[in-house]
Amino acid sequence: KLLLDSSENCPKLSLKDLENLSPTTASSLRSLLYYDETPAASVEDVFCLTFTAGFSHFGEHIELPLIVDGSSIAVTASNRHEYVDRYVNFVLIEGVQKQWSAFHKGFQVMCDGKGVSLLRPRELEALVNGTTRLDFGELKANAKYEAGYSESTPVVRWLWEILEGTTKSGENGEYTFPIEARRKFLKFVTGCDRSPVGGLRSMRPPITVQRDGGAQNNKLPTSHTCFNYLLLPDYESKAILYERLVTAIENASEGFGLR
């Protein structure tokens, strides 16, 4: 929204935007707004807040005033809406102004143009971050195979069964990935846990599954995220493939190499 701030398509930042960043903080502020005070339990007595914003900086707790002499002004039923508005503004804008200015400058260098001003916030977010909808059937339909692999190779079939959540007769589903594991797999292979605009069918380059040696059951899968390559050993069973995939995605999701 801030990137589109000069556009009429951009609404103001609100408590809902803060919820995307910190659901717990947003929930606490909503409790303040909707609290029904009584003579015996006023907003001031129950919440004990002043017009300040507190945060941790290298282990030190710091409080900054939201208005002049904010530390001596109590939050009451009559001014709580102003407090919430100022708190949201501090967290999302004023408190990160230096970092935001640097990011905004870089964004303008890379993406400045009249077309950006035509976008709505959600449209810009989708273009930059991708979408959260994941259809691994689309990923499979556009996948490529190298070094002797094909869609009918047993280890490749097992891979898609694990990712798509399908099972064969006699299986109980123990070798299938839940949605969170699928996101980690996607990040392991592509560097991002979201799909591009248009879905996983629009991924460029498409995912490529390459044979990595023979039946090396002790070797982990590896990837080249810049090219969406999955280097997959030719495991002897679906159980071994599942175990090696879990080990790989759980230990290599924070940058290059294993943790």
Side-chain angles (χ1 to χ4, degrees), residues 17-36:
D17 298 300
L18 179 62
E19 186 174 25
N20 294 328
L21 176 67
S22 178
T24 301
T25 301
S27 177
S28 298
L29 292 174
R30 281 200 174 90
S31 296
L32 169 64
L33 290 175
Y34 298 132
Y35 176 72
D36 189 11

Side-chain angles (χ1 to χ4, degrees), residues 8-231:
E8 61 182 14
N9 291 328
C10 179
K12 296 294 184 180
L13 297 183
S14 65
L15 188 56
K16 186 174 181 62
D17 298 300
L18 179 62
E19 186 174 25
N20 294 328
L21 176 67
S22 178
T24 301
T25 301
S27 177
S28 298
L29 292 174
R30 281 200 174 90
S31 296
L32 169 64
L33 290 175
Y34 298 132
Y35 176 72
D36 189 11
E37 70 173 358
T38 64
S42 66
V43 168
E44 185 175 355
D45 292 335
V46 171
F47 290 90
C48 301
L49 293 172
T50 59
F51 272 74
T52 58
F55 60 94
S56 179
H57 182 69
F58 294 104
E60 179 184 2
H61 183 73
I62 298 176
E63 288 200 1
L64 296 177
L66 298 175
I67 57 177
V68 177
D69 201 25
S71 60
S72 62
I73 301 176
V75 176
T76 65
S78 61
N79 65 18
R80 54 185 167 182
H81 287 277
E82 179 188 0
Y83 169 79
V84 170
D85 289 342
R86 290 183 179 275
Y87 191 95
V88 170
N89 183 72
F90 174 82
V91 173
L92 298 181
I93 301 177
E94 291 184 5
V96 292
Q97 188 60 52
K98 181 178 180 180
Q99 297 88 337
W100 161 250
S101 296
F103 173 79
H104 187 227
K105 182 178 179 181
F107 182 86
Q108 287 184 313
V109 170
M110 298 297 297
C111 305
D112 190 25
K114 294 182 179 179
V116 174
S117 65
L118 301 177
L119 298 173
R120 293 181 173 85
R122 288 189 178 275
E123 294 170 335
L124 180 59
E125 180 184 10
L127 287 173
V128 175
N129 292 335
T131 64
T132 57
R133 175 183 171 273
L134 300 178
D135 185 342
F136 277 82
E138 296 179 354
L139 189 68
K140 176 183 177 181
N142 289 277
K144 295 183 177 181
Y145 307 97
E146 291 184 355
Y149 276 169
S150 69
E151 190 173 345
S152 61
T153 305
V155 71
V156 174
R157 286 192 288 103
W158 297 334
L159 172 68
W160 294 118
E161 288 171 9
I162 290 172
L163 293 174
E164 292 184 289
T166 58
T167 59
K168 293 293 186 179
S169 177
E171 293 182 345
N172 58 14
E174 60 180 324
Y175 299 131
T176 59
F177 274 1
I179 184 61
E180 187 57 35
R182 296 178 200 177
R183 294 190 187 283
K184 289 182 178 180
F185 171 83
L186 194 62
K187 185 174 182 180
F188 175 74
V189 178
T190 70
C192 180
D193 64 356
R194 296 187 174 204
S195 66
V197 175
L200 292 177
R201 69 165 68 91
S202 303
M203 182 175 291
R204 295 291 182 273
I207 186 174
T208 298
V209 183
Q210 184 180 55
R211 188 172 186 266
D212 189 15
Q216 304 181 57
N217 290 330
N218 293 325
K219 190 174 182 180
L220 292 174
T222 54
S223 64
H224 298 306
T225 56
C226 295
F227 308 103
N228 298 340
Y229 260 69
L230 173 65
L231 278 62

